[in-house]
Amino acid sequence: MDGLTRTKELVFVLAATNLPWELDAAMLRRLEKRILVPLPEPEARRTMFEELLPSQPDEDMLPYDLMVERTVGFSGSDIRLLCKEAAMQPLRRIMTLLEHREEIVPDDELPKVGPIRSEDIETALKNTRPSAHLHAHRYEKFNSDYGSQILQ
């Protein structure tokens, strides 16, 4: 720490952890502000879905309301994974078609990747689970015991 007193440069440390209750007392003392970033609320989840899976012109609207309703407890990372899973479904349909063919398909005859459909969303919702909701009570307890209180 001696070198910091001999310079006019500022040092800013930003740290993040998924398991704050694992931090020891010495580390907690050095992290002056401890802020819990909560799981995304419905409006934020909808914005993420609209950004990651935008509706295409001339195609059916994706069921954003359903996705928001069925993703309570999902983190931003979980939502990203769900969107990737949904986006892979049209490609999986093509792969299934091509696997059943015995002859090699010329490049100019390859089927086009279709749009993401409502059933793709349903499949993704069945195959993707939230990761952070199981520890929600521990995050809340840590935040009430050690979190920085932000006045609004």
Side-chain angles (χ1 to χ4, degrees):
M1 299 295 282
D2 231 6
L4 292 177
T5 61
R6 296 186 189 140
T7 182
K8 292 184 184 214
E9 298 293 320
L10 295 177
V11 175
F12 178 78
V13 176
L14 175 65
T17 180
N18 291 337
L19 304 172
W21 49 86
E22 296 286 331
L23 298 174
D24 66 0
M27 181 59 111
L28 287 174
R29 279 194 309 274
R30 287 171 176 80
L31 300 174
E32 294 177 16
K33 297 283 183 198
R34 293 176 291 276
I35 301 168
L36 173 66
V37 178
L39 295 174
E41 294 188 4
E43 183 180 329
R45 294 197 306 273
R46 183 178 183 90
T47 300
M48 285 185 240
F49 286 125
E50 289 172 349
E51 183 71 26
L52 294 169
L53 294 174
S55 287
Q56 301 300 314
D58 302 328
E59 292 176 10
D60 291 340
M61 270 296 270
L62 293 175
Y64 295 123
D65 291 336
L66 174 72
M67 290 187 273
V68 169
E69 180 183 309
R70 303 254 313 265
T71 54
V72 174
F74 277 57
S75 68
S77 181
D78 297 332
I79 288 170
R80 195 174 112 271
L81 181 63
L82 180 117
C83 291
K84 278 182 166 182
E85 181 68 21
M88 284 298 294
Q89 294 307 313
L91 185 58
R92 288 186 178 118
R93 279 192 291 279
I94 290 176
M95 295 305 293
T96 300
L97 283 173
L98 294 176
E99 284 174 355
H100 291 48
R101 287 198 163 172
E102 298 202 12
E103 72 280 353
I104 295 176
V105 180
D107 286 350
D108 60 338
E109 293 179 26
L110 286 173
K112 300 273 188 241
V113 176
I116 298 170
R117 303 187 295 215
S118 292
E119 57 264 25
D120 299 332
I121 301 297
E122 196 62 47
T123 300
L125 285 164
K126 287 178 185 170
N127 293 333
T128 309
R129 299 282 178 260
S131 62
H133 74 291
L134 296 175
H135 293 297
H137 66 284
R138 292 183 82 180
Y139 291 117
E140 293 299 330
K141 173 135 179 50
F142 180 87
N143 193 48
S144 67
D145 291 346
Y146 302 103
S148 298
Q149 300 306 312
I150 300 173
L151 301 175
Q152 306 237 357

